[in-house]
Amino acid sequence: GESVGLHLPTLSVQEGDNSIINCAYSNSASDYFIWYKQESGKGPQFIIDIRSNMDKRQGQRVTVLLNKTVKHLSLQIAATQPGDSAVYFCAEIAYNFNKFYFGSGTKLNVKP
Amino acid sequence: DAGVIQSPRHEVTEMGQEVTLRCKPISGHDYLFWYRQTMMRGLELLIYFNNNVPIDDSGMPEDRFSAKMPNASFSTLKIQPSEPRDSAVYFCASSTGGGNQPQHFGDGTRLSIL
């Protein structure tokens, strides 16, 4: 039969604008969440993480928000730069159950 | 600091051949993970080790796949015999603390089975 590849959602933003990438997670037992950035030809690179006892965590130009009620995670990138163009993955971990899940990813395209 | 090191970076071989992928985790990391990434299925966890012991291999697709970790600084993922559908990018990652610390990934091995 015909195979179907993953169609990554794409977010296109203008350089200098803020970007928001969303992720819905599936396991209510997940208690640790990570955002990764993957550039072409490279492995996923850690950006920021958050534990389930927090709602918000800030890094350099990045903020992660966690809404456990609706099982939603978001990554905000301030003043997006061309170097931010990549695929972004969220990962959820249920530590006590040794379960690790990666989302399918969102492609961020930054227009100069 | 040296990150996770994988070799080879690229491998092209004919179906039926044995393929061995190698990984050197970050020194001091006690968890090691093997992933496969394809366009169809995204990033899939195959197996992971804690202190050189396999903890969960439920993601290994079939008996043709095997993984070993003979010591804290080296792991292999072997496919025998290889098939075209095994073509993918294989990543190794390591971490401290397993499920409550971020995993650090290597740059992967791009495997093509002809």
Side-chain angles (χ1 to χ4, degrees), chain A residues 38 41-44, chain B residues 4-13 18-24 33-38 43 46 65 74-79 86-93 105-113:
Chain A
Q38 187 175 22
K42 295 192 173 182
Chain B
V4 174
I5 300 173
Q6 292 187 245
S7 64
R9 288 298 314 276
H10 303 274
E11 174 96 11
V12 181
T13 192
E18 178 178 292
V19 173
T20 300
L21 311 181
R22 296 172 176 81
C23 175
K24 177 178 167 52
F33 305 81
W34 281 102
Y35 289 88
R36 176 172 69 176
Q37 187 175 44
T38 62
L43 198 61
L46 301 178
F65 286 67
F74 183 66
S75 177
T76 60
L77 178 67
K78 190 170 293 189
I79 309 172
D86 302 330
S87 297
V89 181
Y90 290 81
F91 288 103
C92 176
F105 285 76
D107 282 337
T109 295
R110 181 172 293 278
L111 178 64
S112 297
I113 308 297

Side-chain angles (χ1 to χ4, degrees), chain A residues 24-79:
Chain A
Y25 65 93
S26 56
N27 187 355
S28 56
S30 294
D31 47 14
Y32 180 50
F33 305 87
I34 307 172
W35 279 102
Y36 287 92
K37 172 187 180 182
Q38 187 175 22
E39 296 173 287
S40 180
K42 295 192 173 182
Q45 178 187 4
F46 169 80
I47 301 173
I48 192 168
D49 58 1
I50 189 168
R51 302 185 193 282
S52 59
N53 61 350
M54 302 173 70
D55 297 322
K56 178 180 179 179
R57 190 158 189 234
Q58 289 184 288
Q60 188 177 12
R61 281 203 307 120
V62 294
T63 300
V64 56
L65 299 178
L66 174 63
N67 186 331
K68 295 181 286 294
T69 302
V70 295
K71 292 192 283 190
H72 184 266
L73 196 67
S74 68
L75 176 70
Q76 300 177 1
I77 305 174

